[in-house]
Amino acid sequence: MITLETERMWLMALGREQLNLCLSDIPALGQALNLDIAADAFSEESRQAMAIKITRMLLTTPQTYAWYTYFLLVRKGDRRVMGVCGFKGAPNPFGSVELGYGIHENYRNQGYMTETVRALVVWAFDHPACLEVTAETLKDNLPSQKVLQKAGLRFYHATDKMKYWRVLKKQAIQMKAKADLPLETFGGKSFSGVMQAYMEINHLKQLYRQGWLKRGVPAEQCESVADHVFGMAMLAWWVADDHFPGLDQGKILRMVLLHELGEVYVGDLTPADGVSMPEKHRQEEAAFGQIVNKLPRAAEYEAIWQEFEDGLTPEARFVKQMDRLEMACQAAVYQQQGFSGMDEFFITAQQSLFDPAIKEIFREVYP
């Protein structure tokens, strides 16, 4: 069977007979594979899943066992088995597979499962038939949700009891950031709604604007998404003061401050990532809701965000132009600092501006 290697582990796929030993004779399994496996290594839930996997493997061929079995999480230093992770079957006709996992409580909150999920997603996407990896968690299982978020899966749907996550092959994009989500550094600490939402949006200070990195701006000089929002807020405030006194400035500033919140969990997607606009909107809408739904005025915030996305009101059209104008201003700064390849940002901005006063300001940085 297959063995994958990560920085700290071997991920060993089990054959059908080895799965049987997980249920009937753990010492024999440990001896056969030269592994240190504790008697309580596998939870009752994992054991139930193993029985289902054994049955399903009877109905398929050994060549596809890896899609049905569990991979053991084996720590390199002492060959200790810490948990299991695996898919629930081969890719369906739509190219989708579902991932399930479990890890012993002694090894949680140490990054092992995130490392595992990342490796299995990469392995799955190496197969042409696999186009999507999905997973589900209980709504209140925050540790499991953090594993999926850190591994690159994105929340996209919820029911009364469950949350559903996925990553598409074309969206398996590693977002570069200064650090992981700040909320995760608190190890499951319980916060009020306001403080949890703040710890989530704090990630925008960590998340680089990916387009600049892709054009050669080094991380130490690259603006974050929060930098962009601050610059855009100041620019929108002053331009509205000077040229558009009839607009609702309070709404404008709220719209600016809210419009990037979905990037906390979706990341700063760029056109080069190949994500369609409808799909980008769907992901960001779900992420935005996940952040604000714990706040008392969530419906108001969601309405403002949707107004921006629709781009139909005078304030929304103005803010969309400010988004592009601020990008152009930052491109001008990078150009003055000696970075090339900025013309595409100027051209994109130029094509998005239509108010004469804003176009005149734009010509100050791109005549």
Side-chain angles (χ1 to χ4, degrees):
M1 290 294 286
I2 297 166
T3 297
L4 308 178
E5 185 174 3
T6 72
E7 181 180 355
R8 297 180 292 169
M9 293 176 289
W10 290 295
L11 307 178
M12 301 176 62
L14 297 174
R16 186 163 53 85
E17 293 305 319
Q18 293 166 336
L19 275 178
N20 272 313
L21 288 176
C22 288
L23 299 179
S24 62
D25 196 341
I26 286 179
L29 177 67
Q31 184 176 7
L33 298 178
N34 189 26
L35 298 177
D36 181 5
I37 312 177
D40 64 346
F42 310 123
S43 68
E44 182 58 31
E45 184 179 4
S46 293
R47 290 172 60 84
Q48 291 174 4
M50 287 173 182
I52 295 171
K53 288 176 177 293
I54 291 167
T55 300
R56 289 179 176 173
M57 290 166 75
L58 287 170
L59 304 175
T60 187
T61 63
Q63 290 76 19
T64 62
Y65 276 180
W67 290 109
Y68 292 86
T69 190
Y70 267 143
F71 289 73
L72 295 180
L73 281 60
V74 180
R75 189 164 58 187
K76 286 181 176 178
D78 54 9
R79 299 186 67 82
R80 166 62 67 118
V81 172
M82 300 180 290
V84 292
C85 187
F87 299 100
K88 299 182 181 181
N92 67 21
F94 301 101
S96 182
V97 295
E98 184 178 353
L99 192 65
Y101 49 84
I103 189 166
H104 193 280
E105 60 184 7
N106 291 348
Y107 310 106
R108 294 172 185 166
N109 299 313
Q110 298 175 55
Y112 287 116
M113 191 53 74
T114 298
E115 193 173 322
T116 299
V117 172
R118 284 174 176 163
L120 284 181
V121 168
V122 170
W123 178 83
F125 284 157
D126 279 343
H127 295 76
C130 183
L131 304 178
E132 175 187 65
V133 175
T134 69
E136 61 182 32
T137 64
L138 290 169
K139 252 188 173 178
D140 59 356
N141 190 345
L142 295 180
S144 187
Q145 293 169 26
K146 290 175 182 177
V147 165
L148 296 175
Q149 289 167 0
K150 292 178 73 173
L153 279 78
R154 297 163 185 165
F155 167 74
Y156 72 97
H157 179 63
T159 62
D160 290 343
K161 295 182 179 180
M162 306 298 293
K163 283 189 171 182
Y164 298 90
W165 308 78
R166 70 178 180 181
V167 59
L168 304 181
K169 179 180 286 189
K170 64 181 181 181
Q171 296 167 7
I173 304 156
Q174 291 298 315
M175 291 290 162
K176 295 184 179 178
K178 302 173 189 176
D180 289 332
L181 286 161
L183 181 65
E184 295 173 356
T185 65
F186 290 90
K189 176 180 172 63
S190 178
F191 285 112
S192 65
V194 169
M195 281 307 299
Q196 182 172 333
Y198 171 77
M199 291 302 175
E200 288 175 292
I201 69 163
N202 187 277
H203 187 57
L204 298 182
K205 295 183 180 182
Q206 323 299 325
L207 180 63
Y208 295 119
R209 292 265 279 173
Q210 306 295 304
W212 304 128
L213 293 174
K214 291 174 180 177
R215 294 300 176 269
V217 176
E220 61 269 19
Q221 289 178 259
C222 186
E223 72 167 346
S224 69
V225 174
D227 293 334
H228 164 65
V229 171
F230 170 76
M232 189 177 159
M234 298 304 298
L235 194 60
W237 181 18
W238 290 338
V239 172
D241 259 352
D242 200 15
H243 298 283
F244 300 88
L247 295 181
D248 183 340
Q249 291 194 21
K251 178 186 282 189
I252 285 171
L253 290 176
R254 291 195 298 273
M255 199 174 285
V256 170
L257 293 172
L258 292 171
H259 84 288
E260 299 285 32
L261 260 58
E263 295 193 2
V264 169
Y265 291 119
V266 176
D268 181 37
L269 295 172
T270 70
D273 295 324
V275 180
S276 70
M277 291 305 294
E279 176 62 17
K280 181 175 183 289
H281 173 87
R282 187 197 61 74
Q283 290 184 26
E284 291 183 350
E285 182 178 28
F288 185 92
Q290 181 180 352
I291 294 167
V292 305
N293 66 9
K294 60 187 75 70
L295 302 173
R297 296 170 68 178
E300 177 185 335
Y301 305 146
E302 289 174 334
I304 293 172
W305 182 85
Q306 189 60 56
E307 181 179 339
F308 168 78
E309 287 288 303
D310 292 341
L312 299 177
T313 64
E315 286 78 13
R317 292 197 298 269
F318 174 79
V319 172
K320 282 185 174 290
Q321 289 182 92
M322 289 300 99
D323 195 7
R324 296 305 191 185
L325 180 61
E326 200 283 333
M327 178 186 71
C329 291
Q330 185 61 51
V333 170
Y334 283 138
Q335 190 172 65
Q336 290 302 113
Q337 292 173 343
F339 296 105
S340 59
M342 296 296 137
D343 280 353
E344 66 178 288
F345 297 100
F346 292 126
I347 292 169
T348 298
Q350 189 175 45
Q351 293 171 344
S352 304
L353 306 180
F354 50 85
D355 277 310
I358 298 175
K359 292 170 74 172
E360 187 63 29
I361 296 170
F362 171 76
R363 282 192 284 270
E364 294 185 44
V365 294
Y366 190 70

